[in-house]
Amino acid sequence: MRKPLYWSLIIAAVFLIACGGKKKKKMTGDEAVNIEEFMEAYPTLSLPFVYGDTSFPAHEKDSLRIAPEVLHQFIPDSVTLKVFGPRSHPAYYPVGAVQAGKGAFYLLTRGIDRDRKVLLITAHDQKKQFIAGFPVIKLTPNTNVSISVTIDPRLNINKDLTQKLPNGIEISGHDVFVLNEAAKSFSLIMTDSLGDGFTELINPIDTLPRKQKYSGDYGDNKMNLISIRDGQREGRVRFFIHLEKNDKECVGELKGDALFASPTIAEYRQGGDPCVLRFIFENDRVSLEEVEGCGSRLGALQCSFNGEYLKKKEKKKANTSHGK
């Protein structure tokens, strides 16, 4: 009576062993590889994730090596050619994968040749199609700058640089990159260059049209910016917000589209995002009001976007004419 159960257990055990024993495909280029198999080579990374110049291993494992012909099936060679050039023959190794929401993901890949070590970050959509990529770390034998890159839970890519001068003084710099999916590129949204002593905020929507009534820039200093630009359709505006509050305890950005609920009130609501933000416009100012919590976008739940910001005067373009 127990024989059917006995054989069922044997069959189940054999099945589990067979499934568990399935080996990951090697990325040597000797056999065909699809995107799912390619992604299996990249371990999942948790955020925040930190990688620096000291994270590059002294000796790479050949078993992890990704052949260029395999890599370039899923990451265009235009990304690597800009770094290594056409005559180099770099070796590639997987660092890991970062989930970017809604099925999208980032891949981190090391590229190594005789003259340089590179950390590449590439973005891929929910259909696993390549969106954009760039070398966030580039090291050469002459590099005298210490570099550390952190991908935070908001998917900001923070790059910190430190250089020691001959007199023993250290200077530092800080850059922040985000994925601009519409432009299919990683955009530098903030930079504090080595030794500059001040931070320059880069507005990723600055070049968009600003013909609508409330389009323009609002803010109370260089590092607090509420940028409003024309929407793609009637009744919408595009916005980019960068705020630094409470002695930089609350720092963050928010970018998206807001829909007008009345002639002077627009709201940002996006499926899957708990943040709901209201824009209340007057002729010379805008007030931000959190309808639902957005504090995590500024680094902590107790942080808030709430506030009133005056409209900045638009800079006049220089007159390049020389007479009538």
Side-chain angles (χ1 to χ4, degrees), residues 51 53-61 93 110 112 117:
Y51 199 94
D53 48 63
T54 59
S55 302
F56 287 84
H59 302 286
E60 297 283 0
K61 294 182 180 179
Y93 302 88
R110 283 193 301 274
I112 313 290
K117 297 180 179 180

Side-chain angles (χ1 to χ4, degrees), residues 289-318:
E289 181 181 299
E290 289 189 18
V291 180
E292 295 184 22
C294 305
S296 61
R297 297 299 188 89
L298 292 173
L301 293 176
Q302 66 266 26
C303 297
S304 171
F305 282 87
N306 292 340
E308 183 179 271
Y309 303 90
L310 293 174
K311 193 171 187 178
K312 298 179 179 182
K313 291 183 179 181
E314 187 174 354
K315 293 180 181 179
K316 294 182 179 180
K317 294 181 180 180

Side-chain angles (χ1 to χ4, degrees), residues 166-180:
N167 56 10
I169 295 175
E170 284 191 352
I171 57 175
S172 60
H174 180 73
D175 295 332
V176 182
F177 300 85
V178 297
L179 175 65
N180 186 337

